[in-house]
Amino acid sequence: NAGVTQTPKFQVLKTGQSMTLQCAQDMNHNSMYWYRQDPGMGLRLIYYSASEGTTDKGEVPNGYNVSRLNKREFSLRLESAAPSQTSVYFCASGQGSYEQYFGPGTRLTVT
Amino acid sequence: AQSVTQLGSHVSVSEGALVLLRCNYSSSVPPYLFWYVQYPNQGLQLLLKYTSAATLVKGINGFEAEFKKSETSFHLTKPSAHMSDAAEYFCAVSRGGGNKLTFGTGTQLKVEL
């Protein structure tokens, strides 16, 4: 099992460019999540999907959109990147006893 | 609403010494509590979890944590630190029955010779 995979691992964007971060899990989990991690702030929830076909805003959704493509895949889109979106992005999945399993992360720099 | 507070953004211990990382939570309902570890340039890995069974929870790599309702605490301990324990540690809380985690701001553990 690969667990949770994320692509790309690194990305540099110019202000105003768009991109989509991809996430896939092979653990048959119902729930999937997108977080951003910034120094001294821990992980903050951007969006989540409790089950296929549903998505909800987290703590910091502004500037992002998501798509739950199917049970395995959950993508995060930045329509017009801003320097404030420079961060490390983590995807996670979970089910049952509420623990979440994390991907390796995407390091995004917006110049 | 639930939240967690991790006291000490940086903790330094000598190899072989006790590791104590502090986490206090607030929750309006009985919480589920978690400790995660993050090694440099990697994702988060679950160390242990409390889900209202035994109050003393044992995890991987010799770590354990004790749920103390009276103190609203879930501190992480390890009797003897190893160089490989150097990492960032995150405490997280979830409402029982919910599936969203709220994370603390993390504690960077440094292990010195």
Side-chain angles (χ1 to χ4, degrees):
Chain A
N1 284 351
V4 180
T5 57
Q6 294 183 234
T7 56
K9 286 187 166 53
F10 301 93
Q11 184 71 49
V12 179
L13 292 178
K14 294 187 187 304
T15 297
Q17 288 184 318
S18 62
M19 77 162 295
T20 299
L21 283 65
Q22 306 286 355
C23 173
Q25 54 95 6
D26 62 2
M27 295 174 280
N28 202 35
H29 288 160
N30 284 328
S31 301
M32 298 186 72
Y33 310 82
W34 276 105
Y35 295 88
R36 60 178 288 172
Q37 182 180 27
D38 302 291
M41 303 188 76
L43 278 78
R44 293 180 292 169
L45 183 64
I46 304 171
Y47 271 93
Y48 68 103
S49 171
S51 61
E52 187 179 354
T54 69
T55 61
D56 284 290
K57 294 178 180 179
E59 184 184 352
V60 288
N62 290 347
Y64 306 95
N65 285 301
V66 290
S67 296
R68 183 75 182 266
L69 305 170
N70 48 55
K71 192 170 185 179
R72 291 186 65 247
E73 298 171 289
F74 188 39
S75 62
L76 178 72
R77 183 160 178 83
L78 286 70
E79 290 291 352
S80 178
S84 60
Q85 294 178 306
T86 293
S87 188
V88 182
Y89 292 85
F90 288 100
C91 178
S93 71
Q95 187 160 327
S97 55
Y98 314 114
E99 66 215 59
Q100 295 178 15
Y101 298 85
F102 285 78
T106 295
R107 293 183 178 275
L108 174 66
T109 302
V110 182
T111 60
Chain B
Q2 62 250 11
S3 66
V4 289
T5 302
Q6 291 184 242
L7 293 175
S9 58
H10 291 82
V11 170
S12 184
V13 301
S14 299
E15 191 174 33
L18 171 71
V19 175
L20 171 61
L21 304 182
R22 299 178 187 273
C23 173
N24 288 89
Y25 70 91
S26 68
S27 177
S28 57
V29 297
Y32 286 18
L33 292 157
F34 307 83
W35 276 99
Y36 283 85
V37 60
Q38 184 181 31
Y39 298 103
N41 300 314
Q42 294 188 26
L44 277 71
Q45 178 183 359
L46 181 69
L47 268 180
L48 50 80
K49 63 182 179 184
Y50 166 77
T51 56
S52 75
T55 56
L56 182 62
V57 181
K58 294 187 184 300
I60 62 172
N61 301 340
F63 284 94
E64 62 181 37
E66 187 172 7
F67 173 72
K68 291 188 177 180
K69 185 177 179 180
S70 61
E71 298 178 8
T72 61
S73 69
F74 190 57
H75 301 330
L76 182 70
T77 60
K78 182 174 180 178
S80 177
H82 191 273
M83 296 296 288
S84 61
D85 295 327
E88 189 158 23
Y89 292 80
F90 292 93
C91 183
V93 63
S94 170
R95 291 185 311 171
N99 56 7
K100 289 193 292 182
L101 292 179
T102 300
F103 284 87
T105 52
T107 297
Q108 188 72 44
L109 176 65
K110 182 178 180 181
V111 182
E112 299 175 315
L113 285 171

